[in-house]
Amino acid sequence: MNGNVLIRIGIGLIFVWGGLEKFIPGFLGGPGLEGATGFVGSVFGVTGVIATILTVGLAIAELAAGILVIMGKKLFEAYAVLTVILLVAVIMVWLPAGFKDMSGNNNVTWVTLITHIGLLLTLAGLTLSSRKS
């Protein structure tokens, strides 16, 4: 087994899980569509149908791209979609959360922020390396 397959499986599972937890309440601790829609809506300042459309689109994108990564298909496109999703998450969710608690009392927030930044850079690198000449 090639090491790249293990990387693809690991990254793919993260996003398949993220997509499924937005659709299935309680799936590995996930919020389900209602909870995810509330969160996504609060991040982007929207409600109702717009928030639901954003959430469903996000969940489908995470699921589809995660599955493509695991399968090793359309890797440039899948990595690019996941990179954009993670970039938005870091900018809109994790940076503000990390800087909100500058006291250092919330190591979970800082660890989560650094983990997301590390994954973002990994995905950006994989996107660039999978680009066809």
Side-chain angles (χ1 to χ4, degrees):
M1 181 181 290
N2 183 325
N4 287 338
V5 172
L6 294 176
I7 293 168
R8 286 197 338 261
I9 291 170
I11 289 175
L13 285 175
I14 290 169
F15 288 95
V16 167
W17 175 352
L20 287 175
E21 74 175 4
K22 287 172 185 66
F23 283 124
I24 305 169
F27 178 78
L28 298 174
L33 189 56
E34 185 176 329
T37 297
F39 178 74
V40 169
S42 71
V43 168
F44 290 99
V46 296
T47 59
V49 174
I50 301 297
T52 302
I53 290 170
L54 283 173
T55 305
V56 169
L58 172 61
I60 290 170
E62 286 180 336
L63 271 170
I67 290 168
L68 287 172
V69 167
I70 291 170
M71 294 173 52
K73 307 288 183 189
K74 300 276 188 187
L75 287 176
F76 174 75
E77 293 83 355
Y79 286 141
V81 165
L82 296 178
T83 299
V84 170
I85 289 170
L86 207 49
L87 179 62
V88 171
V90 166
I91 291 170
M92 299 292 292
V93 177
W94 298 110
L95 278 173
F99 290 115
K100 183 183 280 185
D101 184 6
M102 294 298 285
S103 66
N105 292 329
N106 191 352
N107 283 338
V108 172
T109 301
W110 281 102
V111 169
T112 303
L113 171 61
I114 295 304
T115 302
H116 279 82
I117 290 172
L119 183 56
L120 171 62
L121 294 174
T122 301
L123 281 168
L126 288 168
T127 301
L128 293 174
S129 68
S130 68
R131 187 173 182 192
K132 294 181 177 129
S133 302

